[in-house]
Amino acid sequence: MIKAILIFNNHGKPRLSKFYEHYSEDTEQQIIRETFHLVSKRDENVCNFLEGGMLIGGSDYRLIYRHYATLYFVFCVDSSESELGILDLIQVFVETLDKCFENVCELDLIFHVDKVHNILAEMVMGGMVLETNMNEIITQVDSQNKMEKSEAGIAGAPARAVSAVKNMNLPEMPRNINIGDISIKVPNLPSFK
Amino acid sequence: MALKIVKGSIDRMFDKNLQDLVRGIRNHKEDEAKYISTCIDEIKQELKQDNIAVKANAVCKLTYLQMLGYDVSWAAFNIVEVMSSSKFTYKRIGYLAASQCFHESTDVIMLTTNQIRKDLSSPNQYDTGVALTGLSCFVTPDLARDLANDIMTLMSHTKPYIRKKAVLIMYKVFLKYPESLRPAFPRLKEKLEDPDPGVQSAAVNVICELARRNPKNYLSLAPLFFKLMTSSTNNWVLIKIIKLFGALTPLEPRLGKKLIEPLTNLIHSTSAMSLLYECVNTVIAGHDVNGSPFLPPFSLALFLFLRFQLCVQKLRILIEDSDQNLKYLGLLAMSKILKTHPKSVQSHKDLILQCLDDKDESIRLRALDLLYGMVSKKNLMEIVKKLMLHVDKAEGTTYRDELLTKIIDICSQSNYQYITNFEWYISILVELTRLEGTRHGHLIASQMLDVAIRVKAIRVFAVAQMATLLDNAHLMTGNVQRKGICEVLYAAAWICGEFSEHLENPMQTLEAMLRPKVATLPGHIQAVYVQNAAKLFATLLKNQEGNTDRTAAQETSQLMIDRLPLFVQSANLEVQERASCILQLVKYIQKLQQKDVEVAEEVIALFAGELNPVAPKAQKKVPVPEGLDLDAWINEPPSESESEDEQPKAIFAKEEPKHSRARHTEVDEKELAKRREARKQEQANNPFYIKASPSSQKVYQEAPGVEHIPVVQIDLSVPLKVPGLPMSDQYVKLEEERRQKERVEKKKKEKKKRKEKRGGRGKKHDSGPESEEDITPAHMVDIVTEEMPENALPSDDDDKDPNDPHKALDIDLDKPLADSEKLPVRSHRAAEALKSPAEDGDAESPASQEPKKKSSKEKREKKKDKDGDRKVSVKNGNPTRETALWMYIYGDKKSSKHKKKKQKREKEEKEKKKKKKHHHHHHHSDGGGEESVQNGTVEEEEPLPVSVCHQSFTEIDIQGNLQDGSQVVVSVIFENKCDNFLKTMEFNVLDSLNSKLQRPEGSGPHDGLSVPFQLPPGVSNEARFVFTMQSIVMPQKLKGTLTFIIKDSSTHEKLDFKLHFTCSSYLITTPCYSDAFAKLLESGDLKCSSVRLEGVNMPFHHLLARICFHHHFSVVERIDSCASMYSRSIQGHHVCLLVKTSGQTVSIDAKCDEPTLLGNVLDEIKQTFSQC
C-alpha cells in the first residue's frame, strides 16, 4: 500500500500532496516539512530509499523518492510494495506528466494541480497501484479531458480566451525543469507492460 | 436560454479561477496569509451563489488551499453539492475535493450515499470512475456496507476500466466492512483470470494485500497464482505474486519446492532488476522450509543449498554494486536471510562493517540492523568497539541515537547471551552516558538496573561505577542539552542505595547524593535520590556502629538532617513526601543516638530483603483461577448515591478491582481456603490438569536464595577499582589476553591428550579459529531469570494490536457461504425511514425501473456470471483437502506416490466424517441483483445407508427464479466419499402433477438427466436442475433416484433421496418501504391469518433474525417489541407479517393474498420455533 504521495520543490513548497490515510491539515503540513527535511539533506548519489520520519511510517514504512531538477517526488509505502517497482512507477508518473503537459515543468504543477491529481488518480487509487501502463493512463486522461471540453462547449470559449490572456502576463520563469533532458540514473528497469 | 448560458459564462470569466489564485498568492509573498484570507472570503461568497459553475470553481480553489494547510472542512456541504452536479467537469472537481478533505468523521458523508450509488450506476463510465476513485479515499463503514453490493456488481461491468477500479476498491470495502469479504470473494477470485490485464493486476493486488496479513486463509489460491506466475508477462503482477508466495511458503512446505523451478527461470530470463530482486527474496523465504520437519530428499536439499548460496552470492554482488539502491536492497534482503541462516550472512561480516562507513545514512542503518544478528560471543566486543567509534564520529543525533539503541539491543539480545564479560558491558554503558543530547538516557538506565539486579556477580563492580557516576553527576546536569542523559542518575542512585553494602566509600556517595545541585534534577530522579540516601544512611549507621564509632554515626545523622530540608521544600509531591518522612525518621534516630541506643539493626530492617526482577508481562499472565468470575459483583452493587460519593476518588479507579479483591479475601478467608482446598483436590484428580511441579514452586519462594548457584571467581587481572571513568577498550585487550591464555592452556592439554591417544583424530581447535563453545565467560555469571507467575499462560498474542483493521479480515474463505452472508442489498434503515417522500420516491425509482430496463445483452451477461459462480463455488473444503487439491492439479507429473498418500488421507477423512450430514448454504450473488434472488434453505436429504458407496449430496439449494414465476432452480452438490471414480451419473425425480423436472426436448417424462461430470474420489461438484412448478402454495416432497457406475467394478449403483420444497423456499427476500407497506395493507386485497407461539425465550432481534434467515423476510419497521415484515413469493404474492412479543408469547398476525400459502408459511415458522 502507498500511504502518501508528495511532490515538493527544492525549497519544500508543496506542489501536490495526496494522503491515503487521514491526517489533520496541520499534521499533513508537518509531514511535508519533515519529509522535505529528511530528503533534502541527502546527496545526489545516495540511494533513493530512506526510513520514514517520526510522523509518517513506522518500521514497515519507507520513503522512496526521486529528485527531478527542482522537484522531489516522494512516495511513502509499506513493505508490500516493491522498492524498485515504486521507483519505476515514479518514473512512469513523471513521464506521463511530461506527455500530458508537453515538456512538463514546475510551473505546470503549480498552476494545474487539479490536472496532476486527475492523472495521478488514473495511476494510484486509494493507495493501491491501479495502472502502470503509460499509454493506457494517457488514453483515459485524454478522453476525460475531451469530455470536459465538450461539456464546456461554446459557453466555455470566452472563459478560455480570458484565461489565455491572463496567462500571458505570467511572471516569466524559465521552463527549466524539462524532464527529458535530465538524465536520471535508473537501474535498468524495463517499463511495465 | 443559450444566451443566458453565454451571459453567465461571461460573468464567470472575471471570477478568480485556480490559476488566478495561485498567481495571486505568488504575487503576495509578503502578506500571503492575509491575501489568502481575503480569497477565502471571496470563496465563501461564491459558494452562496446558485450557479453550480461558480461553486465548482470555488471548490477547486479550496482544494488547492487545503494542500497549503488550510482547513476547508466548513465547505463540506458545498463539496457534496458540486459532487452531485450532472456535469462530469464539476463532478470531478467535487470528488477530488472530497477525496482530499473528507474522512470518517465528516458528517456530511452520509448524505452522499445515494449520490454515489447513482454515479456508480451511471451510463457514463467516467462518472462511475471518479465516484470509485473518490470513494476509495473516504469510504466509511456505513458507505462500505451500503455500497458493497453495488460495487460488487461493477466488478462484472462490461468496461475493463470500471472493472479494475471496482476490484481495487473492494479492498477498502473489506477493511471497513469485513462481513463483505466472504460474499465477494468468489467474484474477486474470478477476476484473477479476467481477460483484461489491468483487471487481473488489480485483483492480484487486492488478494496480495489481503493475504499479506492473513496468509493461511489464501493457501488454497496457490495453484491459481502458480498458473498466473508462469503465464503472466506483466512485471508488476509478477512481483506481487512472488511477494505473495514469499508469505505463503512458510505455511506450506511443499510450495517452496514447487517454486524453485519457475523462480529460477525468472531469475535467468528477466532483465528487470526489480523482478530479479523479488525472486531472490522469495527463494530465500522458500529455502527456510528445509529446516522444517518436511525434509526433502537429500539431493534436493543439496541442490537447494547450492542455489541458496548462489542467492547470497548474488546479494553480495548487489551490495558491492556501485548503485546505492541495489546496495540498500541487498542489505535488506540479507536481513531476511539472517533470520533463518545467520551463518551464511556472518561470512560477509567484512562487507557489512564496510557499509557502516558508507556516506549514505539509509545504508548505514540497514547495516546496523544486520549487525544485530551477526554477533557471537567471539566478535561481540570487537563489533561494539567499532560501533563506539562510529558513535563518536556520528554527526546527526538521530543516527547516533540509532547507534546507541543498536549497541544496547545487540548486547542485551536473548538475555545477554553473547556477553562474556559484564564489567566490559557496564563500562560500555557508562561510556555511553557521555553522549551529548541523546534521548535514550532511560534506555541506558534500564540496562544498568537490569544488569545490576540480575547479574549478582557484577554488583560490586557496578556499584563502584555508579558511585563514580554520582560523584561526577555535575557533568550531566550542567548542560541543558544533556537533559535526556540524566535519567542515568536514576539508575545510579538506585543501584548505589540498594546494594550499598558493596560501596567502597559510602560516606562520599551519600554526600554526593545530597548535594544542593540535585534539586535541579527532574522530580522522579530526586525522589529516588532521597529514598536511596536513606538506604545508604542505614548501611552507614551499621558500619559505624560496628566500629563503635559513635561520633561518626551522629555526624552522619546530622548530615542528613542538614541536607534533607532542601528536598522537603521541593515542589514535587513525591520528593517532598519522602523527604519529610525520612527527615522525621532521622531526627528520631538522632534522639536515640544521643541516648546511646544502638539503632542500626532496626534502621536497616527498614530496607531488608531483596527485590527480584519480575517479567514485564507477568501480571497479565496470571491465570484466572477456576471458579473466579472477575466480572461478577462481590458485594451487592452500590446504590446510585454511593457511587456519587465515590466519584471524587475517580483517580484511583484503576486500582479498584484490586481493592475489592483484597476485601473479598478478608471477608471470607475461611470459605476461600475451603474452596482452594477443594480445587486442589479436584486438580489432583484431574488427569488433564498439568500440575506445577513442587520444585518450581519452591524456587519461587526461595528466589532470594539463589546463592547455591556457583558465584563468581573474579578475574584478578581486572582491577576492581577503576580510577575515573572506565575505558571499555581495556577490556577488549584483557579479554584477548585471557582467551589467548586459555587457548594456550587448552592446546597444552590437547597435546597431552594427543600424546596419550595418538591414533585419535585431533579436533581442529588449534588450527582453525576457536569455536563458540570454546570461549568461557570471564565470570561465572548467573543471570537471574525474570519471575513469572505460577502456571503462567503461554500467550503469544501479546504483541498483536487489537486495533489492527486487518485482524477483522482473518476470515476463513474456504467455508461455503451461508445464507445469512450476503451483501446488504439496498434496504431500508431506520435513518432512511425519516426521509421525505420526495427523496424516497427518488431512491426507489431506479430499483423498480431496473428490471424493466434489462436488455437481452445484460441477460446474457448474467448467464455468464452464473457460470462463473458455479465454477468458483465448487467446494474446496477444509485445509487438508486444499493440499489434496493442490496435488490434484499439479500432481500429474509426479509419481503415484502422491496419489497413494492422497488415498490414504481420503480414507482417514472418510472415517472421521462417517457420512455426516453437512449443512451448507450457498450464496449466489448475481450481477443482475434483483432478478434472480438466491433462495435456498430447503435441504432435505435422507442419510441413506448405502453399503458399497459413499457418495452423498451434501447440499441442496432451491432457488426461485423471479423472471419466470413457475421455475425453481435446485443446485445439488455431489461429493464422492468413496475411493473409486464415479461416472455416468443420472439424476431423476418422479414428477408430480404440480412439479416437473425440466428435461431436454425429446426425452420422455421418466428419463433421468445425466450429470455433466464425473467424480474422482474425494471430489465434489455442483449440478443444477430446473423444476417447473404449477402452484407454489403448498409444500411438497419429490422422490428421486441417482444412478451411477463405479469405475472399477462397473456395477450400477442406486441412491434414493427426497427433495423437500417448503413454502418458505418460494419466498424471496424483498425490501419494502414503510409507506409502500402501509398502502399494501390498506388495499384490502389481503387475507388475514394469525398464529401464536408460546415459550419462545429469545431476544426479539434474534427472533426477527431467525424469521428473516429461515423464511426470507425483511424487516420493514420495528418499534420496541413489535415489528412489521415483508416478503414476496416467486409468483408475486405479497406476504406481510406483524410480529409482537410480550414475555414468552409471540403473536404473529399475517396478511397475504393467497391464504393457503400464508397458512403453510406460518406453519413453517411455527415449526422453526418449536425446534429451538
Side-chain angles (χ1 to χ4, degrees), chain B residues 22 38 175 213 394 427 477 562 595 603 653 718 727 981 1151:
Chain B
V22 175
T38 58
L175 278 184
R213 313 293 182 144
S427 15
T477 49
D562 289 346
K595 290 179 194 160
V603 176
V718 182
M727 287 303 295
F981 215 88
K1151 278 190 175 179

Side-chain angles (χ1 to χ4, degrees), chain B residues 978-995:
Chain B
C978 68
D979 295 343
N980 296 311
F981 215 88
L982 302 181
K983 59 177 189 178
T984 343
M985 291 190 280
E986 267 195 6
F987 178 89
N988 199 3
V989 172
L990 215 58
D991 291 350
S992 70
L993 276 177
N994 187 24
S995 47

Side-chain angles (χ1 to χ4, degrees), chain B residues 5 75 80 92 107 109 132 293 321 333 367 436 547 631 689 732 764 798 835 890 998 1071 1103 1139 1147:
Chain B
I5 291 171
V80 175
R92 181 156 81 166
D107 43 7
I109 275 195
L132 284 172
D321 198 291
E436 295 257 339
N547 299 339
D631 297 325
Y689 187 83
V732 181
K764 285 180 249 163
D798 287 351
K835 266 191 298 192
Y890 291 98
Q998 272 202 353
L1103 182 113
V1139 187
S1147 69

Side-chain angles (χ1 to χ4, degrees), chain A residues 18 22 29 42 47-49 51 62 78 111 122 126 131 140 143 147-148 151 166-167 173, chain B residues 19-20 23 26 67 88-89 92 100 103 124 126 161 164 172 212 325 328 360 362 366:
Chain A
K18 182 87 206 168
H22 175 69
Q29 293 304 307
R42 292 173 63 81
C47 72
N48 299 80
F49 316 116
E51 255 93 305
R62 55 179 52 89
D78 68 10
F111 286 105
E122 295 302 322
E131 185 60 68
Q140 300 299 350
S143 53
M147 231 176 94
E148 201 174 279
E151 275 183 354
K166 281 179 190 165
N167 282 338
M173 254 176 79
Chain B
Q19 280 76 31
D20 299 323
R23 203 172 296 129
R26 289 166 68 85
M67 183 183 79
F88 171 74
T89 317
R92 181 156 81 166
Q100 290 294 90
H103 51 92
N124 180 350
Y126 291 113
Y161 178 75
K164 73 179 177 194
K172 293 278 177 167
R212 197 163 74 93
N325 284 339
Y328 177 88
D360 188 344
S362 297
R366 286 279 119 232

Side-chain angles (χ1 to χ4, degrees), chain B residues 87 357 555 581 856 944 966 1092 1127 1154:
Chain B
K87 274 195 179 181
D357 296 322
E555 270 168 30
C581 255
S856 61
L944 296 161
S966 60
R1092 284 171 79 85
S1127 185
E1154 179 51 70

Side-chain angles (χ1 to χ4, degrees), chain B residues 36 39 169 342 368 397 409 435 526 569 628 691 740 828 864 883-884 1026 1158:
Chain B
I36 290 178
C39 285
I169 202 178
L368 263 183
T397 44
D409 276 355
L435 276 187
Q526 282 187 55
Q569 292 160 11
L628 173 66
K691 292 145 201 137
Q740 189 66 37
H828 38 309
K864 239 194 273 162
T883 49
V1026 181
L1158 184 62

